[in-house]
Amino acid sequence: MRNLLAANFLRLRKHKLFWGLLAFSTGFGALVAFNYYEMSQIEPITLDGAFFTYPLTVCILTAVFVPLFFGREYSDSAIRNKVAAGRSRSLMYTANLLTAITACLLFCAAHMIAVTVVGTPLIGFIAMEAKLAVPLALGSLVTMAAFCALFTLVVMNCSRKSLSAVVCILGVFLLLLAAIYLRSRLLAPEYLNGLWNAAGEYVPGPPTPNPQYLGGAQRTVFEILYALLPSSQAIEYASREVQNLNWFPLYSLAVIALSTGAGIALFRRKDLK
């Protein structure tokens, strides 16, 4: 394991895509902080929103990085050579997952550092209390690890780099869209207090049942799906309105365990010839 990780980290230090995405994350964090400064000139605003935007951006950066970084191992026959040299497939899979998580966490750290360095002199440090900010940050990092576990599952069991890249990048956007849809349904009110007329005007009226409202077992299913999706968790952390703060890390750990177990089982049976 140590040798596998050392080789991966050596490649990571020399990989141009990694440094490019790290620079992008840093620059984007600085840009977000500066935008918040411009908004603070119009109305009072804190740096909290800028600081916690990274879950939504880093999941996309990681979806780009993981298949392009590890997919090359198939095209260069590196995986086949490792197996021929007697390397354990389980250890190879785990080493790649840990490398992906490390790169992802560095992207997150780059964003947070950039926001802090640029935003603090302009607006001030984040106003959120440490007892809430620390669990939010730590929980969001576990969610990022869940994304890495899903991407690693795809990459390690797909021999074509281009296909795995398409699946990961398209998949992360589909997950985000699914999270947005689930969130909108869960936030739909039970009753409507008016209607929109043909002229596009809102006309107040007596409370009427909302056909979009979810109740009973259907709402329970939607809540479970929303809690399990890493994309849903990323949205909640970015909005800083996490109601299941203590449960989200457990859901993320469940996703990591299930996807890693399935990924290793499939990879051990995969024909590398």
Side-chain angles (χ1 to χ4, degrees):
M1 172 68 78
R2 183 183 303 176
N3 292 335
L4 291 171
L5 285 174
N8 282 350
F9 290 144
L10 179 61
R11 283 184 57 213
L12 195 65
R13 292 204 305 267
K14 298 180 179 180
H15 206 272
K16 294 181 180 179
L17 177 63
F18 166 72
W19 290 107
L21 294 177
L22 190 66
F24 180 88
S25 184
T26 303
F28 186 79
L31 179 62
V32 171
F34 188 76
N35 286 340
Y36 267 68
Y37 165 70
E38 291 184 332
M39 289 188 291
S40 70
Q41 303 301 302
I42 302 174
E43 59 179 347
I45 192 173
T46 65
L47 197 62
D48 298 16
F51 189 85
F52 284 101
T53 55
Y54 62 86
L56 295 178
T57 57
V58 171
C59 67
I60 299 175
L61 297 182
T62 307
V64 174
F65 170 77
V66 172
L68 296 182
F69 182 79
F70 293 109
R72 187 176 178 181
E73 292 191 339
Y74 275 108
S75 59
D76 293 348
S77 300
I79 289 183
R80 189 187 309 171
N81 294 336
K82 290 178 182 178
V83 173
R87 300 294 185 183
S88 166
R89 293 198 184 197
S90 299
L91 292 181
M92 289 167 54
Y93 189 103
T94 305
N96 286 359
L97 174 59
L98 293 176
T99 305
I101 292 175
T102 300
C104 180
L105 296 184
L106 289 174
F107 296 153
C108 295
H111 177 97
M112 289 186 281
I113 292 173
V115 169
T116 304
V117 171
V118 175
T120 301
L122 299 176
I123 306 176
F125 195 62
I126 60 174
M128 185 181 298
E129 295 183 2
K131 64 180 180 181
L132 180 59
V134 172
L136 277 175
L138 294 178
S140 65
L141 296 181
V142 180
T143 296
M144 294 297 101
F147 274 112
C148 292
L150 293 175
F151 299 148
T152 304
L153 167 63
V154 173
V155 172
M156 295 299 293
N157 291 284
C158 181
S159 304
R160 297 174 56 187
K161 181 172 67 173
S162 57
L163 179 59
S164 62
V166 170
V167 171
C168 289
I169 296 172
L170 182 61
V172 74
F173 283 107
L174 290 177
L175 285 174
L176 289 171
L177 290 175
I180 293 172
Y181 170 74
L182 292 173
R183 191 171 193 262
S184 65
R185 293 299 305 274
L186 290 172
L187 292 178
E190 185 174 2
Y191 294 97
L192 299 174
N193 295 320
L195 297 172
W196 295 92
N197 59 22
E201 299 175 343
Y202 184 77
V203 180
T208 56
N210 182 4
Q212 296 297 317
Y213 177 75
L214 296 172
Q218 189 178 19
R219 186 174 189 86
T220 302
V221 171
F222 271 62
E223 289 176 342
I224 294 174
L225 289 175
Y226 187 77
L228 283 174
L229 287 180
S231 53
S232 302
Q233 298 178 22
I235 292 175
E236 290 293 308
Y237 284 120
S239 66
R240 308 178 314 284
E241 298 176 355
V242 182
Q243 298 181 356
N244 298 315
L245 186 59
N246 296 327
W247 289 101
F248 271 180
L250 297 179
Y251 294 142
S252 293
L253 290 174
V255 171
I256 294 171
L258 291 174
S259 58
T260 302
I264 291 176
L266 292 172
F267 183 61
R268 292 178 65 180
R269 299 175 59 183
K270 184 174 178 59
D271 185 4
L272 300 178
K273 295 182 180 180

